[in-house]
Amino acid sequence: LSVRTILTRMGLSEGFWHHEYWLPPGATWEDMKESAGIRYPQPQDLLLCIPGALLLIVVRCIFERAVALPLGRRLGVSDKRRPKVQPNATLEGFYVLLGRTPKEADLISLAKQSNLPVKKVETWFRHRQTQDRPRLMKKFCEASWRFAFYFTSFFSGLALLYDKPWFWDHTVCWLQFPQQPLPPALGWFYLLELSFYCSLVATLPFDVKRKDFKEQIIHHIATITLIFVSYCANLIRFGMIVMLVHDASDYILELAKMLHYMKWKRVCEAVFIVFAVVFIISRLVIFPLTTYYYFVTKFQLFLIICLIDAFLMILQLLHIFWSYLIIQMIFSVILHGAKRKDARSDTEESDRSEAEDLAKNK
């Protein structure tokens, strides 16, 4: 089968896969014909990300239960006792359908309907919100899984690339492009990364919802699009470098979160500062140099390159946004000793109000 036939069988029109959109001027899909011992990326390979994502979700569930949960208990991570909410159909209906934080007029109305004092209605909603917040152990298990994946991904990618000449000299990334055979190990690494981000999108509704939830969705969509497009256009070398740059700081952040949940304050602060340095250098220095200098200024533009540029710009804007949050946290929490609160975390429980409520219920 010709490459064009295989691409068309992906369910999209032949016009979508026209070589002028995907390849530089003068190159066609026929230039990427496979022969004995020489293999190129094929779009149908990406369908493996569906079973791959499902497999990663299963592995994650097993890891969190069999490894992260016992580890967290051993390291002293424990959930705080939460006040119980008395069943109340009227208040529950309002909470589910109309909102978690009723206004003063709503509180008065609900108090009359429930035949309860306004203060008790207010307390009920506060307890109900606390009940919905993710527990500390859940956050620790999530951070442990992501740490394990990012750590493995980064150092595996490093092992795959350290002996490649184009890893050290990025201009070699474009040598004889697009006629660059695909090493099997790099193909599997690409599929693993795509499967992982697809699994993150699938589990978003069940994971801890953080303040930058919308930005995370944008990031995942941009990442999945870039992996898909770069694989189909055989921009594997460039894609591997970009993925490695991103993975360089992610596992350090997850480690800092784990230490935070373990209440190892000083170690957490030290690891977070290391994360901040690595993140800012990798995302605001190395990433722009890699993408914009070598990719934009040294490479001939065509349609897919323009699309990739647009999504890379989205990622860069997100990097600037997160860098701002990181710097803000370092100054407010670590240097000035303000109350510890992850700038990207979900809304934390109030220890004081919780203690007061528990005392009243005794």
Side-chain angles (χ1 to χ4, degrees):
L1 294 176
S2 69
V3 176
R4 184 181 295 177
T5 304
I6 293 171
L7 297 177
T8 306
R9 286 187 179 182
M10 288 285 290
L12 298 167
S13 67
E14 188 174 345
F16 176 83
W17 296 108
H18 197 278
H19 62 83
E20 289 185 356
Y21 303 152
W22 292 84
L23 302 176
T28 68
W29 292 117
E30 298 303 315
D31 296 330
M32 296 167 62
K33 258 189 177 179
E34 295 186 346
S35 59
I38 297 179
R39 190 176 184 281
Y40 292 98
Q42 301 294 341
Q44 71 268 23
D45 298 341
L46 298 176
L47 294 174
L48 291 172
C49 76
I50 299 172
L54 294 174
L55 180 61
L56 281 175
I57 292 172
V58 172
V59 172
R60 172 182 171 173
C61 291
I62 296 171
F63 176 87
E64 289 187 357
R65 292 191 177 208
V67 179
L69 190 60
L71 178 66
R73 287 172 180 164
R74 201 175 186 88
L75 293 171
V77 179
S78 59
D79 294 319
K80 296 173 185 175
R81 185 183 164 195
R82 294 178 174 182
K84 291 182 180 178
V85 175
Q86 295 296 324
N88 188 305
T90 302
L91 302 183
E92 184 68 27
F94 186 97
Y95 182 87
V96 172
L97 298 175
L98 298 175
R100 301 171 59 175
T101 51
K103 296 177 181 177
E104 190 174 346
D106 295 323
L107 286 171
I108 295 169
S109 174
L110 288 167
K112 288 179 181 177
Q113 294 174 48
S114 307
N115 198 24
L116 291 170
V118 175
K119 272 287 181 188
K120 284 215 168 186
V121 173
E122 198 174 2
T123 302
W124 187 95
F125 274 92
R126 188 166 67 249
H127 289 179
R128 186 66 180 82
Q129 288 176 33
T130 300
Q131 200 174 61
D132 276 354
R133 290 188 185 119
R135 293 188 176 272
L136 201 63
M137 185 61 79
K138 176 178 171 58
K139 293 193 248 184
F140 180 84
C141 290
E142 262 189 39
S144 299
W145 163 247
R146 296 191 186 196
F147 168 77
F149 181 87
Y150 289 134
F151 183 87
T152 305
S153 172
F154 175 70
F155 285 101
S156 298
L158 206 58
L160 288 172
L161 299 189
Y162 84 96
D163 61 342
K164 304 292 189 294
W166 44 268
F167 177 64
W168 304 103
D169 181 4
H170 298 158
T171 56
V172 184
C173 282
W174 320 120
L175 198 64
Q176 297 180 329
F177 176 81
Q179 292 176 301
Q180 297 173 346
L182 174 66
L186 298 191
W188 285 111
F189 185 88
Y190 237 75
L191 287 172
L192 178 65
E193 289 279 335
L194 180 59
S195 299
F196 177 71
Y197 281 102
C198 287
S199 74
L200 289 184
V201 172
T203 58
L204 268 176
F206 313 103
D207 291 340
V208 175
K209 192 172 183 179
R210 302 186 183 277
K211 289 181 178 179
D212 62 345
F213 180 74
K214 292 177 182 177
E215 289 82 5
Q216 283 291 332
I217 293 175
I218 294 170
H219 175 271
H220 295 341
I221 291 172
T223 302
I224 290 170
T225 303
L226 285 168
I227 293 174
F228 174 84
V229 170
S230 61
Y231 189 87
C232 293
N234 199 21
L235 288 163
I236 301 295
R237 295 180 179 181
F238 169 75
M240 286 292 298
I241 293 171
V242 171
M243 286 191 287
L244 200 64
V245 167
H246 278 74
D247 287 345
S249 60
D250 286 339
Y251 72 93
I252 307 176
L253 173 62
E254 300 305 329
L255 177 60
K257 287 181 186 177
M258 291 168 65
L259 294 166
H260 174 57
Y261 303 142
M262 291 158 53
K263 298 187 177 5
W264 291 15
K265 182 179 177 181
R266 296 301 176 195
V267 184
C268 174
E269 287 177 351
V271 172
F272 188 83
I273 290 172
V274 172
F275 157 73
V277 172
V278 175
F279 184 93
I280 291 169
I281 292 175
S282 61
R283 306 289 182 96
L284 298 188
V285 180
I286 298 175
F287 179 73
L289 283 176
T290 302
T291 55
Y292 299 109
Y293 180 71
Y294 288 106
F295 189 58
V296 177
T297 63
K298 300 292 183 181
F299 201 56
Q300 196 170 10
L301 291 178
F302 51 96
L303 183 62
I304 286 302
I305 295 297
C306 295
L307 177 67
I308 289 175
D309 286 347
F311 278 96
L312 289 174
M313 183 62 72
I314 291 171
L315 288 183
Q316 189 60 59
L317 291 173
L318 289 172
H319 296 162
I320 294 169
F321 168 72
W322 282 320
S323 296
Y324 167 74
L325 293 183
I326 290 165
I327 293 169
Q328 187 183 50
M329 184 175 176
I330 288 175
F331 275 95
S332 64
V333 178
I334 297 176
L335 298 183
H336 295 140
K339 184 180 177 182
R340 174 172 300 278
K341 194 169 184 179
D342 185 352
R344 287 190 57 242
S345 73
D346 54 295
T347 306
E348 299 292 341
E349 299 172 19
S350 170
D351 296 340
R352 183 178 175 184
S353 63
E354 219 175 279
E356 288 172 354
D357 291 336
L358 284 170
K360 288 175 186 175
N361 291 337
K362 282 184 179 178

